[in-house]
């Protein structure tokens, strides 16, 4: 199974509406779908919070409708549940749901807090930030609650680009994503507000998605028929700063490559690391991935090394300094390569390589991939892998301890190992990214890049 198929689908607001419409066209009513959403919400509240007093705040759209349905179901279970409305329902389905609740509806502005707060104010239909009074009240209700649950999305974040449109928005404990994840559940800063995300299956079709969540890769263990080259041969083109290239090379070894060679190294590193000149490596057809950038430097020698790498037919991974040196002519050459390359910029490198692409991170990653003809991994706490064909994968937040020197070099080496073992450029970037995040979890607080490389085998073990 490819990394693409394995990941959970992520739908934008528009895609969610289209998917729901497909159900309606097939004869399902909005009310029936809302009944499923409300049942999923009631079950979540019941299971997670138990029979404690609950306040469900409902907005005017179908997000509010889900809240009324859940309120009626929870009342039937004997729970003490109150409903407060920000405004009267504006859709037929939401009106129908409120009628089904039939109980008292408090005014949102005057509602008293409860142990459990359920936010059903706005979901995918939010078009702007909350009014200040609404935002202040929501924050006060959340602060007074023991458990906070958001329906589909915390009210006040944009569904598609991860923007937080509302100041003082609470951080929820739990979010029930209806039908599928949305980009805001994974893109920061919105993702900082969703807490644990549970997907409530309501039967909407998700096959048409171009976006998925990063999934654990499935990797085969070596068999008796394997030898060091069949397990993947990685070349790392070193330069001015040997430590960074050494980290990348070590990571490639620890990520399971059978043979790793480093050029321009200053010696040192594991005994199993082979030191060979770049010229000898680029003509070696057994090299399944050539990583360039970590420790390369930006001087004229670095430019020469990059030119040699770009002239080779080996599958390339371009990182760090090499991204900065690449420039527009280099980008053009990348797109024309036989083997699809992988670019791994952080935001700063991305901005230098793709001036003028100013948009949200997801759109930027996709535009960079399309413009370069390469798989692009935009690094950050919510890393994104984009394919030139438009597909993209978002990684769940990785440990913030990763913000430390050399961790990017480890990522480059890890991805190179995945590419050399035979994965295509997109799957290799996804697999490497997953292993990197998992290694960080294993390495724990105050990790340094060396620990990360050392933790890779245990991360790899989980994929076999
Ligand atoms: N579509 C379905 O059949 C189902 C959807 N589900 C749930 O529904 C929501 C999406 O519902 P929708 O009605 O499209 O949108 P919302 O409930 O999120 O809100 C739309 C209304 O809110 C107004 N609005 C938007 N932003 C604000 C704001 N900042 N302040 C005040 N009012 C706002 C908007 O009106 P405007 O014209 O003023 O923009 C709408 O009246 C989805 O998230 C699911 O929870 C069910 O799951 C299944 C069926
Ligand atoms: K909500």
């Amino acid at each position: 199974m490819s990394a693409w198929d394995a990941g959970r689908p992520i739908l934008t607001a528009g895609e969610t509406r289209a998917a729901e419409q497909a159900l309606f066209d097939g004869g399902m009513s909005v009310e029936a779908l809302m009944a499923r959403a409300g049942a999923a919400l009631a079950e979540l509240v019941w299971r997670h919070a138990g029979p404690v007093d609950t306040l469900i705040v409902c907005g005017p759209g179908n997000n509010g409708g889900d809240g009324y349905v859940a309120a009626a179901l929870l009342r039937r279970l004997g729970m003490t549940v109150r409903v407060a409305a920000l405004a009267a329902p504006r859709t037929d389905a939401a009106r129908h749901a409120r009628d089904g609740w039939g109980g008292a509806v408090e005014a949102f502005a005057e509602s008293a807090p409860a142990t459990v707060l359920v936010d059903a104010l706005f979901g995918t239909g939010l078009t702007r930030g909350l009014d200040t009074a609404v935002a202040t009240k929501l924050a006060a209700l959340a602060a007074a609650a023991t458990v906070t649950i958001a329906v589909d999305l915390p009210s006040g974040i944009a569904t598609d680009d991860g923007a937080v449109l509302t100041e003082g928005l609470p951080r929820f404990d739990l979010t029930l994503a209806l039908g599928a994840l949305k980009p805001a559940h994974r893109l920061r800063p919105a993702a900082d507000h969703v807490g644990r995300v549970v997907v409530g299956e309501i039967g909407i079709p998700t096959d048409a998605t171009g976006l998925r969540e990063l999934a654990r890769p499935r990797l085969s263990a070596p068999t008796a028929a394997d030898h060091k080259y069949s397990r993947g041969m990685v070349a790392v083109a070193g330069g001015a700063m040997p430590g960074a290239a050494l980290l990348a090379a070590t990571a490639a070894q620890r990520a399971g490559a059978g043979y790793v060679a480093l050029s321009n190294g200053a010696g040192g590193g594991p005994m199993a690391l082979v030191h060979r000149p770049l010229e000898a490596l680029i003509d070696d057809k057994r090299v399944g991935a050539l990583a360039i950038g970590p420790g390369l430097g930006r001087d004229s020698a670095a430019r020469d090394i990059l030119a040699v790498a770009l002239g080779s037919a080996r599958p390339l991974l371009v990182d760090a300094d090499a991204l900065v040196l690449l420039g527009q002519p280099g980008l053009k050459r990348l797109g024309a390569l036989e083997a699809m390359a992988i670019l791994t910029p952080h935001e700063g490198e991305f901005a230098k390589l793709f001036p003028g692409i100013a948009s949200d991170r997801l759109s930027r990653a996709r535009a960079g991939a399309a413009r370069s003809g390469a798989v692009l991994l935009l690094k950050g706490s919510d890393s994104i892998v984009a394919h030139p064909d438009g597909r993209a994968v978002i990684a769940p937040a990785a440990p913030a301890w990763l913000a430390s020197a050399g961790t990017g070099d480890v990522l480059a080496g890890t991805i190179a190992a995945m590419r050399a073992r035979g994965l295509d450029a997109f799957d290799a970037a996804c697999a490497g990214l997953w292993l990197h995040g998992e290694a960080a979890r294993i390495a724990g607080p105050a990790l340094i890049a060396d620990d990360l490389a050392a933790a890779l085998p245990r991360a790899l073990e989980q994929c076999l």
Side-chain angles (χ1 to χ4, degrees):
M1 186 188 276
S2 75
W4 176 250
D5 296 320
R8 291 194 293 179
I10 301 178
L11 300 191
T12 62
E15 286 166 347
T16 305
R17 273 190 288 276
E20 288 168 346
Q21 194 54 48
L23 289 183
F24 303 150
D25 293 346
M28 185 173 214
S29 68
V30 182
E31 286 76 9
L33 189 60
M34 189 175 280
R36 287 184 186 172
L41 173 59
E43 188 185 341
L44 185 85
V45 174
W46 178 255
R47 283 204 180 170
H48 192 82
V52 288
D53 63 306
T54 296
L55 171 68
I56 304 184
V57 293
C58 297
N62 287 343
N63 195 253
D66 298 343
Y68 291 112
V69 172
L73 291 171
L74 290 169
R75 183 182 50 194
R76 237 179 274 161
L77 288 171
M79 264 178 74
T80 306
V81 54
R82 291 181 291 118
V83 171
L86 181 60
R90 279 192 217 150
T91 70
D92 289 342
R95 265 188 289 275
H96 181 262
R98 191 208 38 200
D99 293 347
W101 157 247
V105 178
E106 303 169 13
F108 173 74
E110 273 110 55
S111 57
T115 307
V116 178
L117 172 71
V118 177
D119 162 21
L121 290 179
F122 304 104
T124 52
L126 185 96
T127 49
R128 56 196 178 280
L130 301 184
D131 293 345
T132 309
V134 176
T136 307
K137 179 70 185 178
L138 182 64
L141 290 173
T146 306
V147 180
T148 52
I149 300 175
V151 183
D152 213 8
L153 298 154
S155 302
I157 61 177
T159 308
D160 294 346
D161 65 7
V164 174
L165 305 175
T166 301
E167 240 176 83
L169 186 72
R171 289 174 183 239
F172 285 81
D173 296 314
L174 197 57
T175 294
L176 175 67
L178 288 164
L181 292 171
K182 316 294 176 319
H185 295 125
R186 290 294 171 242
L187 290 176
R188 295 193 60 244
D192 296 338
H193 293 266
V194 300
R196 195 175 135 215
V197 180
V198 175
V199 178
E201 184 52 71
I202 57 171
I204 67 167
T206 56
D207 327 333
T209 183
L211 187 62
R212 288 182 185 271
E213 186 186 41
L214 182 70
R216 174 162 54 115
R218 298 286 168 182
L219 302 168
S220 55
T223 67
D226 273 304
H227 50 78
K228 62 189 173 194
Y229 296 116
S230 67
R231 285 186 47 200
M233 180 173 177
V234 171
V236 177
M241 288 161 290
L246 198 52
L247 264 177
T250 312
Q253 291 181 296
R254 295 295 183 200
Y259 187 120
V260 180
L262 173 63
S263 67
N264 287 318
M271 300 286 226
L273 184 62
V274 179
H275 293 267
R276 276 174 73 185
L278 184 59
E279 286 69 15
L281 290 167
I282 55 163
D283 290 326
D284 190 334
K285 291 199 167 51
R286 294 170 302 187
V287 171
L290 169 56
I292 180 160
L296 182 66
R298 298 183 188 179
D299 55 9
S300 66
R303 284 180 193 281
D304 293 346
I305 295 168
L306 180 59
V308 172
L310 285 173
S312 95
R314 312 274 70 84
L316 287 181
L317 180 140
V318 187
D319 184 40
D321 291 334
L323 290 164
V324 177
L325 292 181
L326 201 58
Q328 299 314 305
L331 263 188
K332 279 214 181 79
R333 288 186 70 179
L334 270 192
L337 292 175
E338 203 179 301
M340 190 175 282
I342 303 169
L343 309 180
T344 51
H346 56 55
E347 279 290 350
E349 291 155 352
F350 185 94
K352 288 198 180 89
L353 190 55
F354 302 103
I357 303 186
S359 180
D360 62 275
R361 270 171 65 74
L362 179 57
S363 306
R364 275 205 301 282
R366 282 177 156 151
R371 204 182 272 188
S372 63
V375 164
L376 190 136
L377 193 167
L378 184 56
K379 292 189 282 200
S381 50
D382 49 356
S383 292
I384 296 163
V385 182
H387 191 284
D389 70 9
R391 285 177 296 151
V393 160
I394 311 176
W401 291 107
L402 273 172
S404 119
T407 55
D409 306 323
V410 171
L411 178 63
T414 308
I415 295 173
M418 294 299 109
R419 185 77 164 116
R421 84 193 319 271
L423 299 188
D424 69 26
F426 188 73
D427 279 2
C430 291
L433 181 58
W434 190 92
L435 288 168
H436 190 251
E438 189 58 24
R441 271 179 277 278
I442 293 167
L447 63 85
I448 62 169
D450 307 59
D451 304 334
L452 208 54
L456 280 168
R458 282 203 281 153
L460 187 65
E461 195 177 20
Q462 295 176 39
C463 306
L464 302 176

